[in-house]
Each structure stands twice: as structure tokens, then as C-alpha cells.
Amino acid sequence: MVGLDSSHLLRDKILCFSSRSHINNQHKKTSYALSLNHMKLPIQRTLAFALARGKGEAESFSRLEATFGDNTSTECTWSFDFPDSKDAMSHLKSEADLSGSNGANNVASVIEKLNALRSHLLAAEKWNASQLHLCDSKYLECATNLVHYMALRSLDIEQLNSHLASLGLSSLDNNNLDVLAHLNASINLLMNDQNAVTESWTNVYPKGKSTKKNDKGRVLSYKESLLGKLREGRSTHIMVTIGEEATLSETFITDILKAGTSVIRINCAHGDPSIWGEIIKRVRRTSQMLEMPCRVHMDLAGPKLRTGTLKPGPRVMKISPKKDAYGNVVSPALVWLCLTGTEPPAHVSPDATISVQGQDFLAGLQIGDSIRLCDARGRKRRLKISKEFHVFNSTGFVAECFDTAYIESGTELSVKGKKGRRLVGRVVDVPPKESFVRLKVGDLLVITREGSLDEPSVTVPGAHRLTCPSGYLFDSVKPGETIGFDDGKIWGVIKGTSPSEVIVSITHARPKGTKLGSEKSINIPQSDIHFKGLTSKDIKDLDYVASHADMVGISFIRDVHDITVLRQELKKRKLDDLGIVLKIETKSGFKNLSLILLEAMKCSNPLGIMIARGDLAVECGWERLANMQEEIIAICKAARVPVIMATQVLESLVKSGVPTRAEITDAANAKRASCVMLNKGKNIVEAVSMLDTILHTKLIYKKPDSENLH
């Protein structure tokens, strides 16, 4: 039996009182602080947080001032732990080895520590009461549980978890959906084992029924309000990024929805409202026709540093037959001939697509016809019609080409039609070649302010040149800092700067060089660049997003100030139902995640977090990415906020058609997220289908849930 001396009873009365009342004045704060000192709360380290002020800079402060004495900054301050003494810090260590002690004494000591921990969580809740009351009612429980979780994380409970494991109980941080309820359940179980459950203890720690199902139900409702209802038999949403290519095909949207897509993502950094509108119109129409719910998510571009737009290359395409090692043609190149926008059937995989102007030319073609043309080099070439397909209201043909040809817009096509009539058509809409610079180790790259690329540079002759539209780059970087391009594919060191130029020496690229093209990411991890939360373009695009999309992605969230600005813009537009997805892709965004979530919970909008692993890895280091991902998932689970896993999921499959083994495992581990995002690529339909299978295949062996060990 656990001995309950007078000090324990006094402590319990304090806890009962504090759990039912708010601390509204200095006297009550001091009384509660005294109760914590009486408990000898075992705090190992201090974590203090402050909301952003002014231009987004956090106000630093110390909690080691007079105990709960100064209330000047509590109006806009969150804190997750409290002043400690040397005695308190040594409380857990005082009984470091309980393995050889009497069983009853061991349990009694663990109960005492759990009670001390419980008082710490309650104190954290009361200390932050003024901020918690600002949260929207739908998120109050979520915010409170997150405060409990962060208060728990501020302590070293590894030894206590070991003691719990020796008693057959799960660790305290194993169930972060309801931290306090899990802690109370552990105390109840241990006290039941000690046969010392009195009426007073039962009142303090009500047993009740397990809340695990209720917790999962609440989490599901938050996920559903943001991402929509899941299809039958599904537990995880699939989000797919699409662009202008979706407007060029009549079947693309239908195919990806049937494969398992339930959220479409549009990146506002690319395209314009006319393209976005056409995509959204097709998504809405197809979703309704198939009776498959599909939401639209639009990412605001944010203050991301990108390379500028290079001049487009020539509008010419190369058509090449397959040849053996001796240069002999093994099989002809397959060419799809059609009107602009007519896609080939799903089972046809042409090597090239030629859009032809005029329906009359295509209407006169027959299988076996030989189309004559003169390519861009003046070489005479022929295309032999081998198959005909009817696609919706149009007709397309598959032609065979046995010689290499370079086709450009305006190329004349001719064929002898019926009764000797000569049919003539012209090639149109040949896309321009992608422009890029190929960088090798040792090369010099000059980044110029956009608009001054054509100005002659005599300072670095022979260097590659690109532009950057953002002035932040030129105003903040310093020589010696590292700089990465295209999600870390290329790295360099800044050698020199000026108001209009940055000179970079390339230190990492592929042996044969790596391509760097338009609108590719630029990262400077060591630089202290101060961005605005929402750019002028973001605010303009937000008006469009609000009237067309179901949710908006906020890129490069860094601190609470960014959320404050966002809340103001949402309030101006009365956007209470628009889903908000906060993208965590910077070091500061990761560091301030808890504060960001708590501030975001002050509005009623459906809320989610996207783990943007591309920029996050480049900003924080590849070796830290896995741990950071786990940390983000754990914090979001405590906050009961849906998580979207993004960047390079099944990327090899999307681009080349064959996945890597590591990608399959990564996709399977993404089951823990509420949604998984795929980027666009030529094999995206196959990738969606495979991801859907991976996410929703039941495991043959399922790891036992340690929570069930109770």
C-alpha cells in the first residue's frame, strides 16, 4: 500500500483546486508556484518561447526571474516549463536504480514521479491559460494537449519510461493524442495494483472509459474537414501536383482520379489564372461525373528564391528510330499525328507527338499512306501511317519514321490523297526546347538581378549567367557562404557580391555537369535572410484561391509573425472555411512549429501541416531530415493536426517508370500521414495506382501497439 502522508494529501487538494480554476491574479500564480516547489518538480532543461513582435523577431526572455513574478509579457507569450531548483533537477536522479528495491517501494516512487509530472503539465496549462483562451473553440482541446506534450518534452523522462516499462506500462510519450489522460491512466493502474485507491484519489484521477477511440474520432474529423471524406476502404489521401499539361489531355484528370487521387495540387509559382481555372474546371467536372470526391489545393508561391526565366530554346523536336550498336535501324520511331490537344489512347506510347493544323488533312489520311516532309536541316523524310484511332470527337494516327528527323513548327506535310489529290498540312505548336546552363565543379556562375542580364559583364568573362527576380538574395548574402540550387542537386560557394551580382564557384555537380534551368530553387542555409510572410503576389493570388480552391498552402512559414499576417488577410476576406496548409520547409519553421500551430489555432479554418522535405533537407542538412520528419509528425499528432508528406515520394517511378526499393519503403512509412503528395511526371498515373496499393494493403504482420499492453 502506498503511504499517503499529509504532504501528499495537501498536494492533491492543490491539484484538484488548480484543475478546476483559472489563475487570474498574482496571488494565485504564486500559490501554484509554491505547490510545484513542494512537489520538487524534476526539470532537467528549460525551453522558453515567445511570440513574434515587431518585424517577426522573437522577444527573448528568461523564466529564471522571480517565480511567476513578472506578468508584463504573458499577454503574448507561450511557455512550456517553469523555474527549477537544484533539488528539483535531481528529483528523478535521486532514485536512479530501482531495479533492486522492494516492489512496493518501486511502484510508490514511480507514482510520486508521475504525480510530479502531472502537476508540471497542469502548471503549463495554467501558465498559458490566457493564450489558450484565444484559440478557436474547435481547437481548444488540441492546443491544450499540445501544451501538455511540449511541457512533457521539456523534461528528461527516459529513466521514468524505463521504470514504467519494467512495470509493464507503455512510455509516457507513446500516446501523445491525449497526454494527460494517458498519464492519469498510468497513475490509476499503478494505484490499483497498490490497493490504495481512495475516494479522494478517484476524484483527482477519474478512471472513466478509454478515450482512445474518441481521440481517433476527433483526429479523423479534423482530417476530414481539411482533406474531405476518404473513399471506401481508404485511410490516407493522395495528393497530385499538376500543371498546364492537364489542359492538353481530355483523359488525364479522369485517369488520375480513377487511380486513387483525392486532392489536386496547383502551384501558384507556375502558370496563371487562366491555366489554373481550366484545371479546376476539369477537376470539378470529372469529380462530379465519376462521383469521386476530389478537393483542390493551391500553393501560394511564397518568398522563395528561384532562378529567373531563361529565354526559351528553339521550337524543334528530334525524332529518332531505335538503332543497334552498328547504327542500323532496329525499329522505327512511333509518331502520334493529331489535332492540338488530342491525346493518344492509354495503350499507345508514341516517341513523339506532331500536332497538325487543319482537320481536312487528317480526314484524308488512310492506313498505308506515306507522308512526305522536309525537316529543319533540309533532309527529305517520310512518315508511314500504320494505325488509326478515334479519340472522342477527333481522329489520330500512328506513323512510323525510319530516319532521324528534326521537326519544327511550320514544317509542311504532304500526301497523295484519293483520286490523285494532294493533301497538305502544317506542323504547329512544337514546344520550345528547355533552356539551361550545364554546371561542372570549378565553373563560375554569375547570378544577376532580373532585368540586367543583357548588360555586359567584364568582371567575370566566360562565366555562366542566370538571373534571380528576388532582391533578398543580393541584399543578404556574403562571400564564403554556401549556396544550393535545384533542391541541392548543385552546390557552390559565394566568392563575391555586389548590389546587382553574386559570383558563385561551383563545388558540387555531376561529373559530366548538372543542368540548371528556369525557376529552380536557390537555398542559402547559412544566410540570415529576412523574408516577408506573404508577398504581394501571394496576397493577389489569395483572392483567386479563395473563390476557386478548397485549401491554400502557405509556403516558407518561419515564425508566428507569418501566421499573424495570414490571419489578418483571412479576416479581411472573411475566409473562415478555407483550409490552411502550413508548409514546413525552413530551419526556423521547424524550430517554431509548436508556436506556429498554437497561433494558427486562433482562427477557425481547417488546419494542416505539409512536410516539404525538399527545401527542409537542403536548409537543415540531409542527415537530419529523418529525425526532423519524425519530430514534426509527433508534434502534429499531439496537436491533432493532419500531416501531408511531400517531396520525392516514388520519384523514380514518376519519372522513369521504375521505383527504387527505398522509395517503396518510404511510401509505406507514409501511412502515418493523413495525405501523401506526388509530384508531376510522365508516369504519374502508374505512380498514383502503385501508391494507392501500397497505402491500403493490409500488413501480414502488424507490430503490436504498446498501448495495448495495459
Side-chain angles (χ1 to χ4, degrees):
M1 177 176 291
V2 179
L4 302 178
D5 57 22
S6 59
S7 64
H8 283 79
L9 294 175
L10 174 62
R11 175 196 60 205
D12 301 333
K13 291 179 180 179
I14 293 172
L15 290 176
C16 286
F17 172 76
S18 63
S19 64
R20 295 187 180 97
S21 63
H22 298 294
I23 300 176
N24 297 319
N25 54 54
Q26 186 66 28
H27 175 71
K28 289 184 179 180
K29 289 181 180 178
T30 305
S31 299
Y32 201 85
L34 291 174
S35 74
L36 292 179
N37 289 335
H38 174 71
M39 286 298 303
K40 293 184 179 180
L41 183 62
I43 300 177
Q44 184 193 26
R45 56 185 183 274
T46 299
L47 299 175
F49 300 85
L51 295 195
R53 290 185 171 182
K55 296 183 178 180
E57 297 182 359
E59 176 192 37
S60 62
F61 62 97
S62 173
R63 291 295 184 201
L64 299 180
E65 298 173 355
T67 306
F68 294 92
D70 185 8
N71 193 32
T72 58
S73 64
T74 56
E75 183 180 351
C76 61
T77 299
W78 294 92
S79 180
F80 302 134
D81 57 13
F82 309 92
D84 56 275
S85 65
K86 292 182 180 179
D87 292 337
M89 293 178 66
S90 61
H91 182 72
L92 283 183
K93 298 180 181 179
S94 62
E95 300 178 47
D97 186 8
L98 297 177
S99 58
S101 62
N102 179 272
N105 292 335
N106 187 357
V107 173
S109 176
V110 171
I111 292 175
E112 183 179 3
K113 293 174 182 178
L114 292 176
N115 287 329
L117 181 57
R118 184 179 187 274
S119 69
H120 176 60
L121 302 191
L122 290 172
E125 178 182 343
K126 298 308 171 185
W127 180 263
N128 293 288
S130 61
Q131 286 294 308
L132 287 170
H133 292 157
L134 296 177
C135 292
D136 188 82
S137 58
K138 68 187 284 188
Y139 290 124
L140 182 57
E141 285 188 27
C142 304
T144 302
N145 190 62
L146 179 56
V147 169
H148 290 162
Y149 177 73
M150 295 309 296
L152 179 71
R153 291 289 304 273
S154 71
L155 306 178
D156 182 4
I157 59 171
E158 183 177 355
Q159 194 174 82
L160 182 55
N161 281 333
S162 298
H163 297 333
L164 290 172
S166 68
L167 296 172
L169 300 179
S170 62
S171 63
L172 294 172
D173 49 7
N174 193 43
N175 180 10
N176 46 3
L177 279 176
D178 197 331
V179 176
L180 190 59
H182 182 57
L183 180 58
N184 286 341
S186 298
I187 294 173
N188 271 321
L189 284 166
L190 290 176
M191 293 190 64
N192 281 327
D193 288 343
Q194 289 287 298
N195 298 316
V197 182
T198 64
E199 182 178 354
S200 61
W201 279 101
T202 304
N203 290 333
V204 178
Y205 308 119
K207 293 164 65 176
K209 295 183 179 180
S210 172
T211 61
K212 186 174 179 182
K213 290 184 178 179
N214 295 333
D215 291 338
K216 288 186 176 180
R218 287 195 293 266
V219 172
L220 182 61
S221 69
Y222 292 127
K223 178 165 71 172
E224 192 173 292
S225 66
L226 178 71
L227 299 166
K229 288 187 177 181
L230 285 159
R231 298 176 190 174
E232 187 177 354
R234 301 293 186 264
S235 59
T236 307
H237 287 274
I238 297 177
M239 178 186 291
V240 174
T241 302
I242 62 176
E244 188 175 2
E245 72 281 353
T247 65
L248 304 177
S249 169
E250 294 293 334
T251 61
F252 178 75
I253 300 295
T254 301
D255 292 340
I256 62 172
L257 261 60
K258 285 183 175 180
T261 301
S262 56
V263 182
I264 292 294
R265 173 179 175 262
I266 298 172
N267 190 348
C268 293
H270 309 287
D272 55 58
S274 63
I275 296 174
W276 307 336
E278 180 61 27
I279 294 172
I280 293 171
K281 183 178 73 175
R282 294 188 182 208
V283 170
R284 303 293 191 203
R285 184 180 64 214
T286 305
S287 173
Q288 185 176 16
M289 180 181 66
L290 297 176
E291 296 183 349
M292 292 181 173
C294 182
R295 295 206 168 180
V296 175
H297 168 94
M298 296 185 73
D299 266 355
L300 299 181
K304 184 172 184 176
L305 297 178
R306 297 180 184 273
T307 58
T309 303
L310 294 170
K311 292 181 179 178
R315 292 180 175 272
V316 61
M317 73 171 73
K318 181 182 180 181
I319 302 175
S320 299
K322 293 180 176 61
K323 299 180 180 181
D324 61 18
Y326 297 97
N328 300 315
V329 175
V330 176
S331 61
L334 299 181
V335 179
W336 174 248
L337 284 171
C338 61
L339 293 176
T340 300
T342 304
E343 291 290 317
H347 64 280
V348 177
S349 300
D351 299 301
T353 297
I354 294 180
S355 298
V356 181
Q357 185 181 37
Q359 178 69 39
D360 293 341
F361 178 78
L362 292 175
L365 294 179
Q366 297 181 22
I367 295 176
D369 284 350
S370 182
I371 300 174
R372 300 186 180 189
L373 62 92
C374 188
D375 77 357
R377 303 170 298 170
R379 306 281 180 86
K380 294 181 179 180
R381 294 291 183 257
R382 293 190 180 190
L383 303 175
K384 186 176 182 180
I385 303 297
S386 59
K387 295 178 182 178
E388 179 180 359
F389 294 97
H390 296 284
V391 183
F392 293 102
N393 296 326
S394 184
T395 301
F397 296 87
V398 174
E400 297 177 344
C401 181
F402 290 86
D403 298 292
T404 301
Y406 289 82
I407 309 297
E408 60 184 344
S409 293
T411 299
E412 184 178 279
L413 308 177
S414 64
V415 64
K416 289 183 179 180
K418 297 177 181 178
K419 300 180 181 180
R421 181 186 172 191
R422 184 170 176 267
L423 300 175
V424 177
R426 291 193 179 277
V427 176
V428 295
D429 299 331
V430 175
K433 287 291 209 180
E434 180 184 1
S435 295
F436 60 86
V437 294
R438 187 180 294 275
L439 299 172
K440 299 180 180 180
V441 174
D443 285 352
L444 290 178
L445 173 66
V446 177
I447 306 173
T448 310
R449 279 186 188 267
E450 196 159 86
S452 57
L453 182 61
D454 295 330
E455 297 179 6
S457 174
V458 296
T459 55
V460 192
H464 300 283
R465 296 179 66 82
L466 286 173
T467 63
C468 177
S470 174
Y472 290 112
L473 174 69
F474 306 94
D475 299 336
S476 304
V477 297
K478 300 174 183 177
E481 292 178 339
T482 57
I483 182 170
F485 301 94
D486 197 5
D487 289 338
K489 294 183 176 68
I490 303 169
W491 284 94
V493 175
I494 296 174
K495 293 297 184 181
T497 63
S498 74
S500 61
E501 287 187 342
V502 173
I503 302 173
V504 179
S505 176
I506 303 302
T507 58
H508 174 80
R510 292 177 179 175
K512 294 183 179 180
T514 303
K515 296 178 181 179
L516 181 59
S518 303
E519 299 182 1
K520 299 301 181 182
S521 63
I522 301 176
N523 298 89
I524 308 105
Q526 300 169 347
S527 180
D528 185 22
I529 299 180
H530 299 287
F531 293 103
K532 293 188 297 182
L534 291 174
T535 66
S536 57
K537 181 183 186 307
D538 291 338
I539 294 175
K540 180 181 177 182
D541 290 342
L542 182 59
D543 292 324
Y544 182 90
V545 173
S547 59
H548 291 81
D550 303 297
M551 48 185 150
V552 60
I554 312 300
S555 301
F556 293 94
I557 289 291
R558 287 173 168 78
D559 53 34
V560 174
H561 176 70
D562 294 344
I563 303 299
T564 303
V565 173
L566 173 64
R567 287 177 55 213
Q568 292 171 351
E569 295 298 330
L570 293 174
K571 187 176 181 180
K572 283 181 188 177
R573 295 162 175 79
K574 298 180 180 179
L575 302 176
D576 298 328
D577 299 324
L578 181 66
I580 305 298
V581 176
L582 306 177
K583 297 176 66 178
I584 304 302
E585 46 196 333
T586 65
K587 188 182 298 183
S588 57
F590 169 74
K591 181 180 178 181
N592 297 320
L593 177 58
S594 298
L595 294 177
I596 287 169
L597 283 170
L598 289 167
E599 185 67 15
M601 288 177 181
K602 292 179 181 178
C603 59
S604 62
N605 300 71
L607 181 64
I609 291 291
M610 178 181 286
I611 308 177
R613 300 186 296 182
D615 283 292
L616 194 61
V618 177
E619 290 276 337
C620 303
W622 304 93
E623 67 281 358
R624 296 186 59 199
L625 180 61
N627 288 337
M628 295 176 75
Q629 177 175 293
E630 296 303 309
E631 183 83 4
I632 293 172
I633 291 174
I635 291 174
C636 290
K637 184 178 179 182
R640 302 167 187 171
V641 170
V643 174
I644 301 171
M645 192 85 73
T647 312
Q648 290 190 317
V649 178
L650 297 179
E651 184 180 42
S652 296
L653 174 59
V654 172
K655 292 185 176 180
S656 68
V658 180
T660 65
R661 279 73 170 171
E663 284 178 350
I664 298 296
T665 306
D666 177 55
N669 286 331
K671 288 182 179 181
R672 296 171 302 155
S674 303
C675 180
V676 184
M677 192 191 89
L678 293 173
N679 282 319
K680 56 187 177 181
K682 63 180 181 179
N683 300 296
I684 186 63
V685 177
E686 293 84 351
V688 172
S689 180
M690 178 175 284
L691 180 61
D692 184 63
T693 301
I694 293 171
L695 292 176
H696 304 114
T697 298
K698 292 184 178 180
L699 296 176
I700 299 175
Y701 166 76
K702 183 178 180 181
K703 184 179 179 181
D705 190 343
S706 57
E707 295 171 19
N708 294 331
L709 293 176
H710 288 297

